Amino acid sequence: MSFQQTLHDVQHKLKDNQLDGWLLYDFRRSNPLACQFLEIAPETNLTRRFFYLIPQIGSPIKIISIIESHLLDHLPGEKLTYRSWPELEGHLARLLSDKKQVAMEYSPRNAIPAISKVDAGTIEMIRSYGIEVMSSADLLQSYTSTWTAFQLQTHRNALKILEESAQLAWKLIADKLSTSQKVTEYDVQQFLLNCMKEKGCITSDPPICAVNAHSANPHYTPDAKHFAEIRPGDFILIDLWCKQNITHAVYADITQVGVAAETPTMWQQTIFSVVKEARDATTRFIHENIENNLPVMGWEADQVSRDVITEAGFGNFFIHRTGHNIGEEDHGPGAHLDNLETHDERLLLPETCFSIEPGIYLPNEFGVRLEYDVFIHPDRRVEVTGNVQNSLICLGEYK
């Protein structure tokens, strides 16, 4: 979609939402979402404040420092330059004089921190002109979080590499234990990194291999100095994510759990079964609603998962959101499945992807997290893209 087509689409959405305009603002990349939407190259030097108003009707208006008057030349619209702060505020006052409501990258009460990119002082200034500032949250994700067919394919490619790498990691652990060789969390982490690198992938952070009590810490990560040895009978969690090292590739993100034993304990199986039911119930809820053209907010999907775990008696041990948006960053800017850390009222949109990864974390024992990724197709078909784990991985009994 060309930017001109995007503008036309934005103006339709503004009309549907009864908004007078969308006011995009940035200062030194304080608002990366605006920079992404406005197609400002990463290498562009941004040192002064700018505004870009997309009105519901008519052409956009740019307000730019005279020092960087060229900044938005790649975008349509009239250009207004300023030298001083009174000139800047004068332009804004005149520009907004006939407006009542405008969207900005703002979230009431900071309910969605990922969207709250415009500072309080700037919000105060816009409100001083009699403007009601509304959140651009749902508007924005239509343009910063949707995938192209090319990106979906890069996700599938990355997912295949993750699944193959995880399978090799489990085999590595089994082979080491069966021959009484030492193997550690850090060994497995580095093995996974090498697997991804050899396949042309990159990752934002090293993968997680966590045994026993370490797996009860959702963000535990071994390093060269801090790690545990993996021993027969241990509970093991492996979480890994990557994307292809090419422009505009997107991430895949999975988690698997298993035991270095022939069978899990009844306690391990009980926890696994509750987490699996939470994952599956959330997936069913999204599937049934989205495919029947019913809206689903991120918090609603989270609550389904949370209710299952709470009703089983483990609500206090589910200590993170159910899932996160996925894009060119592993934790993307779109709707998260979250009614714990935030109350995410953004809609799950077609052409977006997100993880479903409920978990139960028992301190000083172990933690179970099951994670796969879900993509909503343009026709609202809901697809789990892979890594559907329905039973604990058992590596066999090792003496």
Side-chain angles (χ1 to χ4, degrees), residues 250-265:
V250 295
Y251 272 87
D253 191 351
I254 66 173
T255 304
Q256 299 177 356
V257 288
V259 292
E262 286 187 344
T263 59
T265 66

Side-chain angles (χ1 to χ4, degrees), residues 107-156:
S107 180
R109 299 178 62 84
N110 198 26
I112 307 173
I115 292 297
S116 287
K117 299 301 183 183
V118 181
D119 63 277
T122 299
I123 295 292
E124 288 174 355
M125 178 170 63
I126 301 304
R127 285 174 173 163
S128 74
Y129 306 128
I131 299 296
E132 183 179 4
V133 178
M134 310 297 287
S135 178
S136 65
D138 269 323
L139 186 66
L140 187 67
Q141 71 165 339
S142 298
Y143 309 105
T144 59
S145 302
T146 54
W147 287 3
T148 63
F150 164 78
Q151 287 178 308
L152 177 58
Q153 186 57 53
T154 69
H155 168 80
R156 296 192 193 283

Side-chain angles (χ1 to χ4, degrees), residues 61-82:
I61 306 289
K62 316 168 193 178
I63 302 179
I64 312 172
S65 168
I66 197 167
I67 295 174
E68 296 176 343
S69 61
H70 62 284
L71 180 61
L72 302 181
D73 283 353
H74 64 291
L75 300 174
E78 179 187 353
K79 182 193 301 185
L80 302 175
T81 60
Y82 70 90

